[in-house]
Coordinates of all heavy atoms in Angstrom, one line a residue:
M247 N 42.2 101.3 90.2 CA 41.6 101.0 88.9 C 40.6 102.1 88.5 O 39.7 102.3 89.3 CB 41.0 99.7 88.9 CG 41.9 98.5 88.7 SD 42.5 98.3 87.0 CE 41.2 97.3 86.3
P248 N 40.7 102.7 87.4 CA 39.7 103.7 87.0 C 38.4 103.0 86.7 O 38.4 101.8 86.3 CB 40.2 104.3 85.7 CG 41.3 103.4 85.2 CD 41.8 102.6 86.4
K249 N 37.3 103.7 86.8 CA 36.0 103.1 86.5 C 35.9 102.9 84.9 O 36.5 103.6 84.2 CB 34.8 104.0 86.9 CG 34.6 104.0 88.4 CD 33.7 105.1 88.8 CE 32.3 105.1 88.1 NZ 31.4 106.2 88.6
L250 N 35.1 101.9 84.5 CA 35.0 101.6 83.1 C 34.6 102.9 82.3 O 35.0 103.1 81.2 CB 34.0 100.5 82.8 CG 34.5 99.1 83.2 CD1 33.4 98.1 83.1 CD2 35.7 98.7 82.3
S251 N 33.7 103.7 82.9 CA 33.2 104.9 82.2 C 34.3 106.0 82.1 O 34.1 106.9 81.3 CB 32.0 105.4 82.9 OG 32.3 105.7 84.2
E252 N 35.3 105.9 82.9 CA 36.3 107.0 82.9 C 37.4 106.7 81.9 O 38.2 107.6 81.6 CB 37.0 107.0 84.3 CG 36.1 107.6 85.4 CD 36.6 107.4 86.8 OE1 37.6 106.7 87.0 OE2 36.0 108.0 87.7
L253 N 37.5 105.6 81.3 CA 38.5 105.3 80.3 C 38.0 105.7 78.9 O 36.9 105.4 78.5 CB 38.8 103.8 80.3 CG 39.5 103.2 81.5 CD1 39.3 101.7 81.7 CD2 41.0 103.6 81.5
E254 N 38.8 106.5 78.2 CA 38.4 107.1 77.0 C 38.2 106.0 75.8 O 37.3 106.0 75.1 CB 39.3 108.2 76.5 CG 39.0 108.8 75.2 CD 39.9 109.9 74.9 OE1 40.7 110.4 75.7 OE2 39.9 110.3 73.7
R255 N 39.3 105.2 75.7 CA 39.3 104.2 74.7 C 39.5 104.7 73.2 O 39.7 105.9 73.1 CB 38.1 103.3 74.7 CG 37.9 102.5 76.0 CD 36.8 101.6 76.1 NE 36.7 100.9 77.3 CZ 36.2 101.5 78.4 NH1 35.7 102.7 78.4 NH2 36.2 100.8 79.6
I256 N 39.3 103.9 72.3 CA 39.6 104.2 70.9 C 38.4 103.8 70.0 O 37.5 103.1 70.4 CB 40.8 103.4 70.4 CG1 40.7 101.9 70.7 CG2 42.1 104.0 71.1 CD1 41.1 101.0 69.6
V257 N 38.4 104.4 68.8 CA 37.5 104.1 67.8 C 38.3 103.7 66.5 O 39.2 104.3 66.2 CB 36.6 105.4 67.4 CG1 35.6 105.0 66.3 CG2 35.8 105.8 68.7
I258 N 37.8 102.6 65.9 CA 38.6 102.0 64.8 C 37.8 102.3 63.5 O 36.6 102.0 63.4 CB 38.8 100.5 64.9 CG1 39.6 100.2 66.2 CG2 39.5 99.9 63.7 CD1 39.6 98.8 66.6
D259 N 38.5 102.8 62.5 CA 37.9 102.9 61.2 C 38.1 101.6 60.4 O 39.2 101.4 59.9 CB 38.5 104.1 60.4 CG 37.8 104.4 59.1 OD1 37.1 103.5 58.6 OD2 38.0 105.5 58.6
T260 N 37.0 100.8 60.4 CA 37.2 99.5 59.7 C 37.3 99.6 58.2 O 37.6 98.6 57.6 CB 36.1 98.5 60.2 OG1 34.8 99.2 59.9 CG2 36.2 98.2 61.7
D261 N 36.9 100.7 57.6 CA 37.0 100.9 56.2 C 38.5 101.1 55.8 O 38.9 100.6 54.7 CB 36.2 102.1 55.7 CG 34.7 101.9 55.8 OD1 34.3 100.7 55.7 OD2 33.9 102.8 55.9
T262 N 39.2 101.8 56.6 CA 40.6 102.0 56.2 C 41.6 101.0 56.8 O 42.8 100.9 56.3 CB 41.1 103.5 56.6 OG1 40.9 103.6 58.0 CG2 40.2 104.5 55.8
C263 N 41.2 100.3 57.8 CA 42.1 99.2 58.4 C 42.4 98.2 57.3 O 41.6 97.7 56.6 CB 41.3 98.6 59.6 SG 42.2 97.1 60.2
I264 N 43.7 97.9 57.3 CA 44.2 96.9 56.3 C 44.6 95.6 57.0 O 45.1 94.7 56.3 CB 45.4 97.4 55.5 CG1 46.6 97.9 56.5 CG2 45.0 98.6 54.6 CD1 47.9 98.1 55.8
G265 N 44.3 95.5 58.2 CA 44.5 94.2 58.9 C 45.9 93.8 59.1 O 46.2 92.6 59.1
C266 N 46.8 94.8 59.3 CA 48.2 94.4 59.4 C 48.5 93.7 60.8 O 49.5 93.1 60.9 CB 49.1 95.7 59.2 SG 48.9 96.8 60.6
G267 N 47.7 94.0 61.7 CA 47.9 93.4 63.1 C 48.8 94.1 64.0 O 49.1 93.7 65.1
A268 N 49.4 95.3 63.6 CA 50.3 96.0 64.4 C 49.7 96.4 65.7 O 50.3 96.3 66.8 CB 50.9 97.2 63.7
C269 N 48.5 96.9 65.7 CA 47.8 97.3 66.9 C 47.5 96.1 67.8 O 47.7 96.3 69.1 CB 46.5 98.0 66.6 SG 45.3 97.0 65.6
V270 N 47.2 95.0 67.3 CA 46.9 93.8 68.1 C 48.2 93.4 68.8 O 48.2 93.1 70.0 CB 46.5 92.6 67.2 CG1 46.3 91.4 68.0 CG2 45.2 93.0 66.5
A271 N 49.3 93.5 68.1 CA 50.6 93.1 68.7 C 51.1 94.0 69.7 O 51.8 93.6 70.7 CB 51.7 92.9 67.6
T272 N 50.8 95.3 69.6 CA 51.3 96.3 70.5 C 50.5 96.5 71.8 O 51.1 97.0 72.7 CB 51.5 97.7 69.7 OG1 52.5 98.4 70.4 CG2 50.2 98.5 69.7
C273 N 49.3 96.1 71.8 CA 48.4 96.4 72.9 C 48.9 95.5 74.1 O 48.8 94.3 74.1 CB 47.0 96.1 72.6 SG 45.9 96.4 74.1
P274 N 49.3 96.2 75.2 CA 49.7 95.4 76.4 C 48.6 94.7 77.2 O 48.9 93.9 78.1 CB 50.4 96.5 77.3 CG 50.2 97.8 76.7 CD 49.3 97.6 75.4
Y275 N 47.4 95.0 76.8 CA 46.2 94.5 77.5 C 45.4 93.5 76.7 O 44.3 93.1 77.1 CB 45.3 95.6 78.0 CG 46.0 96.6 78.8 CD1 46.5 97.8 78.3 CD2 46.3 96.3 80.2 CE1 47.2 98.7 79.1 CE2 47.0 97.2 81.0 CZ 47.5 98.4 80.4 OH 48.2 99.3 81.2
Q276 N 45.9 93.1 75.6 CA 45.2 92.2 74.7 C 43.8 92.6 74.4 O 42.9 91.8 74.4 CB 45.2 90.7 75.2 CG 46.5 90.0 75.1 CD 47.5 90.4 76.3 OE1 47.1 90.4 77.4 NE2 48.7 90.7 75.9
A277 N 43.7 93.9 74.2 CA 42.3 94.5 74.0 C 42.0 94.7 72.5 O 40.9 95.3 72.2 CB 42.2 95.9 74.7
L278 N 42.8 94.1 71.7 CA 42.5 94.2 70.2 C 42.6 92.8 69.6 O 43.5 92.1 70.0 CB 43.4 95.2 69.5 CG 43.2 96.7 69.8 CD1 44.4 97.5 69.6 CD2 42.0 97.2 69.1
E279 N 41.8 92.6 68.6 CA 41.9 91.3 67.9 C 41.6 91.6 66.4 O 41.0 92.6 66.1 CB 41.0 90.3 68.4 CG 39.5 90.7 68.3 CD 38.5 89.7 68.8 OE1 38.9 88.8 69.6 OE2 37.3 89.8 68.5
L280 N 41.9 90.7 65.5 CA 41.5 90.8 64.1 C 40.2 90.0 64.0 O 40.1 88.8 64.5 CB 42.5 90.3 63.2 CG 43.9 91.1 63.1 CD1 44.8 90.5 62.1 CD2 43.6 92.6 62.8
D281 N 39.2 90.6 63.4 CA 37.9 89.9 63.3 C 37.9 88.9 62.1 O 38.9 88.7 61.4 CB 36.8 90.9 63.2 CG 36.7 91.7 61.9 OD1 37.5 91.3 60.9 OD2 36.0 92.7 61.8
E282 N 36.8 88.3 61.8 CA 36.6 87.3 60.7 C 37.1 87.9 59.3 O 37.5 87.1 58.5 CB 35.2 86.8 60.6 CG 34.6 86.3 61.9 CD 34.3 87.5 62.9 OE1 33.9 88.6 62.5 OE2 34.5 87.3 64.1
S283 N 36.9 89.2 59.2 CA 37.3 89.8 57.9 C 38.7 90.3 57.9 O 39.2 91.0 57.0 CB 36.4 90.9 57.5 OG 35.1 90.8 58.0
G284 N 39.4 90.1 59.0 CA 40.8 90.6 59.1 C 40.9 92.0 59.5 O 42.0 92.6 59.4
K285 N 39.8 92.6 60.0 CA 39.9 94.0 60.5 C 40.1 94.0 62.0 O 39.7 93.1 62.7 CB 38.5 94.7 60.2 CG 38.1 94.6 58.7 CD 38.9 95.6 57.9 CE 38.4 95.7 56.5 NZ 39.0 96.8 55.7
S286 N 40.7 95.1 62.4 CA 40.9 95.2 63.9 C 39.6 95.5 64.6 O 38.7 96.2 64.2 CB 41.9 96.4 64.1 OG 42.1 96.6 65.5
R287 N 39.5 94.9 65.8 CA 38.3 95.0 66.6 C 38.7 95.3 68.1 O 39.7 94.6 68.6 CB 37.4 93.8 66.5 CG 36.2 93.8 67.4 CD 35.4 92.5 67.3 NE 34.8 92.5 66.0 CZ 34.2 91.3 65.5 NH1 34.2 90.2 66.2 NH2 33.6 91.3 64.4
L288 N 38.1 96.2 68.7 CA 38.4 96.5 70.1 C 37.6 95.6 71.1 O 36.4 95.4 70.8 CB 38.0 98.0 70.4 CG 38.2 98.4 71.9 CD1 39.6 98.5 72.3 CD2 37.5 99.7 72.1
I289 N 38.2 95.1 72.1 CA 37.5 94.4 73.2 C 37.3 95.4 74.3 O 38.3 95.7 75.1 CB 38.3 93.1 73.6 CG1 38.6 92.3 72.4 CG2 37.4 92.4 74.6 CD1 39.5 91.2 72.6
W290 N 36.2 96.0 74.3 CA 35.9 97.2 75.0 C 36.3 97.2 76.5 O 36.9 98.1 77.0 CB 34.4 97.5 74.9 CG 33.9 98.8 75.5 CD1 34.0 100.0 74.9 CD2 33.5 99.0 76.9 NE1 33.5 101.0 75.8 CE2 33.2 100.4 77.0 CE3 33.2 98.2 78.0 CZ2 32.7 101.0 78.2 CZ3 32.8 98.8 79.1 CH2 32.5 100.1 79.2
D291 N 35.9 96.1 77.2 CA 36.1 96.1 78.6 C 37.6 95.8 79.0 O 38.0 95.9 80.2 CB 35.2 95.1 79.3 CG 35.2 93.7 78.6 OD1 34.9 93.7 77.4 OD2 35.5 92.7 79.2
L292 N 38.4 95.4 78.0 CA 39.8 95.2 78.3 C 40.7 96.4 78.1 O 41.8 96.5 78.6 CB 40.4 94.0 77.5 CG 39.7 92.6 77.6 CD1 40.4 91.6 76.8 CD2 39.6 92.2 79.1
C293 N 40.2 97.4 77.3 CA 41.0 98.5 77.0 C 41.3 99.4 78.2 O 40.4 99.7 79.0 CB 40.2 99.4 75.9 SG 41.1 100.8 75.4
Q294 N 42.5 99.8 78.3 CA 42.9 100.7 79.4 C 43.4 102.1 78.9 O 44.1 102.8 79.6 CB 44.1 100.0 80.2 CG 43.7 98.7 80.9 CD 42.7 98.9 82.0 OE1 42.9 99.9 82.9 NE2 41.7 98.1 82.1
S295 N 43.0 102.4 77.7 CA 43.3 103.7 77.2 C 44.9 103.9 77.1 O 45.3 105.0 77.4 CB 42.7 104.9 78.0 OG 41.3 104.8 77.8
D296 N 45.6 102.9 76.7 CA 47.0 103.0 76.6 C 47.5 103.8 75.4 O 48.5 104.5 75.4 CB 47.5 101.5 76.6 CG 48.9 101.4 76.1 OD1 49.8 101.5 77.0 OD2 49.2 101.2 74.9
F297 N 46.7 103.7 74.3 CA 46.8 104.5 73.1 C 48.1 104.2 72.2 O 48.4 104.9 71.3 CB 46.7 106.0 73.3 CG 45.4 106.4 73.9 CD1 45.4 107.3 75.0 CD2 44.2 105.9 73.4 CE1 44.1 107.7 75.5 CE2 43.0 106.3 73.9 CZ 43.0 107.2 75.0
Q298 N 48.8 103.1 72.6 CA 50.0 102.7 71.7 C 49.5 102.3 70.3 O 50.2 102.5 69.3 CB 50.8 101.6 72.3 CG 51.6 102.0 73.5 CD 52.5 100.8 74.0 OE1 53.2 100.2 73.3 NE2 52.3 100.5 75.3
C299 N 48.3 101.8 70.3 CA 47.7 101.4 69.0 C 47.5 102.6 68.1 O 47.7 102.5 66.9 CB 46.4 100.7 69.3 SG 45.2 101.6 70.2
V300 N 47.1 103.7 68.7 CA 46.9 104.9 67.8 C 48.2 105.3 67.1 O 48.2 105.6 65.9 CB 46.4 106.1 68.7 CG1 46.3 107.4 67.9 CG2 45.1 105.8 69.4
A301 N 49.3 105.2 67.9 CA 50.6 105.6 67.3 C 51.1 104.6 66.3 O 51.8 105.0 65.3 CB 51.6 105.8 68.5
V302 N 50.8 103.4 66.5 CA 51.4 102.3 65.7 C 50.7 102.1 64.3 O 51.2 101.5 63.4 CB 51.5 101.0 66.5 CG1 50.2 100.2 66.5 CG2 52.7 100.2 66.0
C303 N 49.5 102.6 64.2 CA 48.7 102.3 63.0 C 49.1 103.1 61.8 O 49.0 104.3 61.8 CB 47.2 102.6 63.3 SG 46.2 102.2 61.8
A304 N 49.6 102.4 60.8 CA 50.2 103.1 59.6 C 49.2 103.8 58.8 O 49.5 104.7 58.1 CB 51.0 102.1 58.8
T305 N 47.9 103.3 58.9 CA 46.8 103.9 58.0 C 46.0 104.9 58.8 O 45.0 105.4 58.3 CB 45.9 102.8 57.5 OG1 45.4 102.1 58.6 CG2 46.7 101.8 56.6
K306 N 46.4 105.2 60.0 CA 45.7 106.2 60.9 C 44.2 105.8 61.1 O 43.3 106.6 61.0 CB 45.8 107.6 60.3 CG 47.2 108.1 60.1 CD 47.8 108.8 61.3 CE 49.2 109.3 61.1 NZ 50.2 108.4 61.6
S307 N 44.0 104.5 61.2 CA 42.6 104.0 61.4 C 42.1 104.0 62.8 O 41.0 103.7 63.0 CB 42.6 102.6 60.8 OG 42.9 102.5 59.4
I308 N 43.0 104.3 63.7 CA 42.6 104.3 65.2 C 42.7 105.7 65.7 O 43.7 106.4 65.6 CB 43.5 103.3 66.0 CG1 43.6 101.9 65.3 CG2 43.0 103.2 67.4 CD1 44.4 100.9 66.1
H309 N 41.6 106.1 66.3 CA 41.4 107.4 66.9 C 41.1 107.3 68.4 O 40.3 106.4 68.8 CB 40.3 108.2 66.2 CG 40.5 108.2 64.7 ND1 41.1 109.2 64.0 CD2 40.1 107.3 63.7 CE1 41.1 108.9 62.7 NE2 40.5 107.7 62.5
K310 N 41.5 108.3 69.1 CA 41.0 108.4 70.5 C 39.5 108.7 70.4 O 39.1 109.4 69.5 CB 41.7 109.5 71.3 CG 43.2 109.3 71.6 CD 43.7 110.4 72.4 CE 45.2 110.2 72.8 NZ 45.7 111.2 73.7
A311 N 38.8 108.2 71.3 CA 37.3 108.3 71.3 C 36.9 109.8 71.2 O 36.0 110.2 70.5 CB 36.6 107.7 72.4
S312 N 37.6 110.7 71.9 CA 37.3 112.1 71.9 C 37.6 112.8 70.6 O 37.1 113.9 70.4 CB 38.0 112.8 73.1 OG 39.4 112.7 72.8
E313 N 38.4 112.1 69.8 CA 38.8 112.7 68.5 C 38.2 112.1 67.3 O 38.4 112.5 66.1 CB 40.4 112.7 68.4 CG 41.0 113.5 69.5 CD 42.5 113.3 69.6 OE1 43.1 112.5 68.8 OE2 43.2 113.9 70.5
A314 N 37.4 111.1 67.5 CA 36.8 110.4 66.3 C 35.5 111.1 65.9 O 34.8 111.7 66.7 CB 36.4 108.9 66.7
S315 N 35.2 110.9 64.6 CA 34.0 111.6 64.1 C 32.8 110.8 64.5 O 32.8 109.6 64.8 CB 34.1 111.6 62.5 OG 33.9 110.3 62.0
A316 N 31.6 111.5 64.4 CA 30.3 110.9 64.8 C 30.1 109.7 63.8 O 29.5 108.7 64.3 CB 29.2 111.9 64.7
A317 N 30.5 109.9 62.6 CA 30.2 108.8 61.6 C 30.9 107.5 62.0 O 30.4 106.4 62.0 CB 30.7 109.2 60.2
L318 N 32.2 107.7 62.5 CA 33.0 106.5 62.9 C 32.4 105.9 64.2 O 32.3 104.7 64.3 CB 34.4 106.9 63.2 CG 35.4 107.0 62.0 CD1 36.8 107.2 62.4 CD2 35.3 105.8 61.1
K319 N 31.9 106.7 65.0 CA 31.3 106.3 66.3 C 29.9 105.6 66.1 O 29.3 105.1 67.1 CB 31.2 107.4 67.3 CG 32.6 107.8 67.8 CD 32.6 108.8 68.9 CE 32.4 110.2 68.3 NZ 32.7 111.3 69.3
S320 N 29.4 105.7 64.9 CA 28.1 105.0 64.7 C 28.2 103.7 64.0 O 27.3 102.9 63.8 CB 27.2 106.0 63.8 OG 27.8 106.0 62.5
K321 N 29.5 103.3 63.6 CA 29.7 102.0 62.9 C 30.4 101.1 63.9 O 31.4 101.4 64.5 CB 30.6 102.2 61.7 CG 29.9 103.0 60.6 CD 30.7 102.9 59.3 CE 32.1 103.6 59.3 NZ 32.8 103.5 58.1
P322 N 29.8 99.9 64.1 CA 30.4 99.0 65.1 C 31.9 98.6 64.9 O 32.3 98.3 63.8 CB 29.5 97.7 64.9 CG 28.3 98.2 64.2 CD 28.7 99.3 63.4
W323 N 32.6 98.7 66.0 CA 34.1 98.4 65.9 C 34.5 97.7 67.2 O 35.7 97.4 67.4 CB 34.9 99.7 65.7 CG 35.0 100.5 67.0 CD1 36.1 100.4 67.9 CD2 34.1 101.5 67.5 NE1 35.8 101.3 68.9 CE2 34.6 101.9 68.7 CE3 32.9 102.0 67.0 CZ2 34.0 102.9 69.5 CZ3 32.2 102.9 67.8 CH2 32.8 103.4 69.0
F324 N 33.6 97.4 68.1 CA 34.0 96.8 69.4 C 33.1 95.7 69.9 O 31.9 95.7 69.4 CB 34.1 97.9 70.5 CG 32.7 98.5 70.8 CD1 32.0 98.0 71.9 CD2 32.2 99.6 70.0 CE1 30.7 98.6 72.1 CE2 31.0 100.1 70.3 CZ 30.2 99.6 71.4
K325 N 33.6 94.9 70.8 CA 32.7 93.9 71.4 C 33.1 93.8 72.9 O 34.0 94.6 73.3 CB 33.0 92.5 70.7 CG 34.4 92.0 71.0 CD 34.5 90.5 70.5 CE 35.6 89.8 71.2 NZ 35.7 88.4 70.7
F326 N 32.5 93.0 73.6 CA 32.8 92.8 75.0 C 33.5 91.4 75.1 O 33.2 90.5 74.4 CB 31.6 92.8 75.9 CG 30.8 94.1 75.8 CD1 29.4 94.0 75.7 CD2 31.4 95.3 75.9 CE1 28.6 95.2 75.6 CE2 30.6 96.5 75.8 CZ 29.3 96.4 75.7
S327 N 34.3 91.3 76.2 CA 35.0 90.0 76.4 C 34.1 89.0 77.1 O 34.4 87.8 77.1 CB 36.3 90.2 77.2 OG 36.0 90.5 78.5
K328 N 33.0 89.5 77.7 CA 32.2 88.7 78.5 C 30.8 89.4 78.6 O 30.7 90.6 78.2 CB 32.8 88.6 79.9 CG 33.0 89.9 80.5 CD 33.7 89.9 81.9 CE 34.0 91.2 82.4 NZ 33.3 91.8 83.4
Q329 N 29.9 88.8 79.2 CA 28.6 89.4 79.5 C 28.8 90.4 80.6 O 29.4 90.1 81.7 CB 27.7 88.3 80.1 CG 26.3 88.8 80.6 CD 25.3 88.9 79.5 OE1 25.2 88.0 78.7 NE2 24.5 89.9 79.5
L330 N 28.4 91.7 80.4 CA 28.7 92.7 81.4 C 27.7 92.6 82.6 O 26.6 92.2 82.4 CB 28.5 94.1 80.8 CG 29.4 94.5 79.6 CD1 29.2 96.0 79.3 CD2 30.9 94.3 80.0
S331 N 28.2 92.9 83.7 CA 27.3 92.9 84.9 C 26.4 94.1 84.8 O 26.7 95.1 84.0 CB 28.2 93.0 86.2 OG 28.8 94.3 86.3
P332 N 25.3 94.2 85.6 CA 24.5 95.4 85.5 C 25.3 96.7 85.7 O 25.0 97.7 85.1 CB 23.4 95.2 86.6 CG 23.3 93.7 86.7 CD 24.7 93.2 86.4
E333 N 26.2 96.7 86.7 CA 27.0 97.9 87.0 C 27.9 98.2 85.8 O 28.0 99.4 85.4 CB 27.9 97.6 88.2 CG 28.9 98.7 88.6 CD 28.2 100.0 88.9 OE1 27.0 100.1 89.3 OE2 28.9 101.1 88.6
E334 N 28.5 97.2 85.2 CA 29.4 97.4 84.0 C 28.5 97.9 82.9 O 29.0 98.8 82.1 CB 30.1 96.1 83.6 CG 31.2 95.7 84.6 CD 31.7 94.3 84.4 OE1 30.9 93.4 83.9 OE2 32.8 94.0 84.7
Q335 N 27.3 97.4 82.7 CA 26.4 97.9 81.7 C 26.1 99.4 81.8 O 26.1 100.2 80.9 CB 25.1 97.1 81.7 CG 24.2 97.4 80.6 CD 24.7 97.0 79.2 OE1 25.4 96.1 79.0 NE2 24.3 97.8 78.2
R336 N 25.9 99.8 83.1 CA 25.7 101.2 83.4 C 26.9 102.1 83.0 O 26.8 103.1 82.4 CB 25.3 101.4 84.9 CG 23.8 101.3 85.2 CD 23.5 101.8 86.6 NE 24.2 101.0 87.6 CZ 23.7 99.9 88.1 NH1 22.5 99.4 87.7 NH2 24.3 99.2 89.0
E337 N 28.1 101.5 83.3 CA 29.3 102.3 83.0 C 29.5 102.4 81.5 O 29.9 103.4 81.0 CB 30.5 101.5 83.6 CG 30.5 101.3 85.0 CD 31.2 102.4 85.8 OE1 32.1 103.0 85.2 OE2 30.9 102.6 86.9
F338 N 29.1 101.3 80.8 CA 29.1 101.3 79.3 C 28.2 102.4 78.8 O 28.6 103.2 77.9 CB 28.8 99.9 78.8 CG 28.5 99.9 77.3 CD1 29.6 100.2 76.4 CD2 27.3 99.7 76.7 CE1 29.4 100.2 75.0 CE2 27.1 99.7 75.4 CZ 28.2 100.0 74.5
E339 N 27.0 102.5 79.3 CA 26.1 103.5 78.8 C 26.5 104.9 79.1 O 26.3 105.8 78.3 CB 24.7 103.2 79.4 CG 24.0 102.0 78.7 CD 22.9 101.4 79.5 OE1 22.4 102.0 80.4 OE2 22.5 100.2 79.2
E340 N 27.2 105.1 80.2 CA 27.7 106.4 80.6 C 28.8 106.8 79.6 O 28.9 107.9 79.2 CB 28.3 106.2 82.0 CG 28.2 107.5 82.8 CD 28.7 107.3 84.2 OE1 28.1 106.5 85.0 OE2 29.8 107.8 84.6
W341 N 29.6 105.8 79.3 CA 30.7 106.0 78.3 C 30.2 106.4 77.0 O 30.7 107.3 76.3 CB 31.6 104.8 78.3 CG 32.6 104.8 77.2 CD1 33.9 105.4 77.2 CD2 32.6 104.2 75.9 NE1 34.5 105.2 76.1 CE2 33.8 104.4 75.2 CE3 31.6 103.4 75.3 CZ2 34.0 104.0 73.9 CZ3 31.8 102.9 74.0 CH2 33.1 103.2 73.3
C342 N 29.1 105.7 76.5 CA 28.5 106.0 75.2 C 28.0 107.4 75.2 O 28.2 108.2 74.2 CB 27.3 105.1 75.0 SG 27.8 103.4 74.5
K343 N 27.4 107.8 76.3 CA 26.9 109.2 76.4 C 28.0 110.2 76.3 O 28.0 111.2 75.6 CB 26.0 109.3 77.7 CG 25.0 110.4 77.6 CD 24.1 110.4 78.8 CE 23.3 109.2 79.0 NZ 22.5 109.2 80.3
K344 N 29.0 109.9 77.1 CA 30.2 110.9 77.3 C 30.9 111.1 75.9 O 31.3 112.2 75.6 CB 31.2 110.3 78.3 CG 32.3 111.2 78.7 CD 33.0 110.6 79.9 CE 34.2 111.4 80.3 NZ 34.9 110.8 81.4
Y345 N 31.0 110.0 75.1 CA 31.8 110.1 73.9 C 30.9 110.1 72.6 O 31.5 110.1 71.5 CB 32.9 109.0 73.8 CG 33.9 109.3 74.9 CD1 34.0 108.5 76.0 CD2 34.9 110.3 74.7 CE1 34.9 108.8 77.0 CE2 35.8 110.6 75.7 CZ 35.9 109.8 76.8 OH 36.8 110.1 77.8
G346 N 29.6 110.1 72.8 CA 28.8 110.2 71.7 C 28.8 109.0 70.8 O 28.6 109.0 69.6
V347 N 29.0 107.8 71.5 CA 29.0 106.6 70.7 C 27.6 106.0 70.5 O 26.8 105.9 71.5 CB 29.8 105.5 71.5 CG1 29.7 104.1 70.9 CG2 31.3 105.9 71.5
T348 N 27.2 105.8 69.3 CA 25.9 105.3 69.0 C 25.9 103.9 68.4 O 24.9 103.2 68.3 CB 25.2 106.2 68.0 OG1 26.0 106.4 66.8 CG2 24.9 107.6 68.5
A349 N 27.1 103.4 68.1 CA 27.2 102.0 67.5 C 27.0 101.0 68.7 O 27.4 101.2 69.8 CB 28.6 101.8 67.0
P350 N 26.3 99.9 68.3 CA 26.1 98.9 69.3 C 27.3 98.0 69.3 O 28.1 97.9 68.4 CB 24.9 98.1 68.7 CG 25.0 98.3 67.3 CD 25.6 99.6 67.1
P351 N 27.5 97.2 70.4 CA 28.6 96.2 70.4 C 28.3 95.1 69.4 O 27.2 94.8 69.1 CB 28.6 95.7 71.9 CG 27.2 96.0 72.4 CD 26.7 97.2 71.7
I352 N 29.4 94.5 69.0 CA 29.2 93.4 68.0 C 29.0 92.1 68.8 O 29.7 91.8 69.8 CB 30.5 93.2 67.1 CG1 30.7 94.5 66.3 CG2 30.5 92.0 66.3 CD1 32.0 94.7 65.8
G353 N 28.1 91.2 68.3 CA 28.0 89.9 68.9 C 26.9 89.8 70.0 O 26.3 90.8 70.3
Ligands
SF4_437 S1 47.4 98.9 63.0 FE1 45.8 99.9 61.9 S2 45.8 99.0 59.8 FE2 46.9 97.6 61.2 S3 45.3 96.1 62.0 FE3 45.5 97.8 63.5 S4 43.8 99.3 62.9 FE4 44.2 97.9 61.1

């Protein structure tokens, strides 16, 4: 199993997402859900960087973290499935630094 900080993950543009649910249906790890407004949301700790969601999104609203703009990485698009352990929290912070993520988790 790769470390949490080694997985690249995705960034979702919630402005262009139309809530079709294709990404949610295609993710083999159940790492995506539709939020209260019908927009796609990433469940950060479940993502395994499978990237099928990037390919399936008709509005090109999902980007690999390394390819997303700083503006997108500053707007919240992800949450955690659970309370992170201190070690997981460290991995999360390492990931933020590596990919330039400034948005806080939702919730
Ligand atoms: S596939 Fe794209 S448009 Fe459809 S819910 Fe997912 S992010 Fe939104």
